[in-house]
Amino acid sequence: MPNASAPQVPPFCPNPECPFHTGPTACWFVKAGFHERQQEPRRVQRYRCRYCRRHFSDQTFLPTYWLKRTNLLAAVFHGLLACSGFRQLARSHDVSPNTIATHAARLGRHCLLFHEQSRPRGPATEALV
């Protein structure tokens, strides 16, 4: 799983009620300073939507959004591919099995989103059994 980096330009407004939530358009946001963190990246760019005036950051669009242990996501992904159990992964990474379950659920949602975005559109072109 490659390291995800923050986007250079926000792809859309994270507010579901905003008209710019459905896709990118020109000049819908303005930069609104930085946020300092203790982990990498140290400085996180902040933005503000010009229409709904909601603030958000580069991290809003990353798979590690709201995670305290961001370094575990790739390890949990590879462990689940190797058919490791939640308790086994939790023991090897010195975390709770609930943490592993949370990461696994997040990875599952991201995989579903990836498959939904990359599947062919329209009706099936051949008979399904």
Side-chain angles (χ1 to χ4, degrees), residues 16-80:
E17 285 86 37
C18 182
F20 296 110
H21 179 71
T22 56
T25 55
C27 287
W28 61 270
F29 69 93
V30 64
K31 290 185 178 183
F34 288 92
H35 169 69
E36 297 290 332
R37 294 178 25 133
Q38 292 181 359
Q39 293 183 351
E40 291 295 330
R42 300 285 183 195
R43 288 175 49 133
V44 178
Q45 179 70 54
R46 303 272 307 152
Y47 302 99
R48 181 180 52 84
C49 178
R50 288 185 177 183
Y51 184 80
C52 68
R53 306 189 60 81
R54 173 126 353 146
H55 285 83
F56 56 95
S57 71
D58 278 336
Q59 291 182 309
T60 306
F61 305 101
L62 294 179
T64 57
Y65 184 59
W66 277 102
L67 289 181
K68 293 180 182 177
R69 297 281 307 266
T70 59
N71 58 339
L72 281 181
L73 202 59
V76 170
F77 176 75
H78 292 297
L80 291 173

Side-chain angles (χ1 to χ4, degrees), residues 94-110:
D94 198 27
V95 295
S96 165
N98 288 336
T99 302
I100 301 298
T102 301
H103 280 67
R106 178 180 291 253
L107 287 166
R109 288 190 302 271
H110 280 279

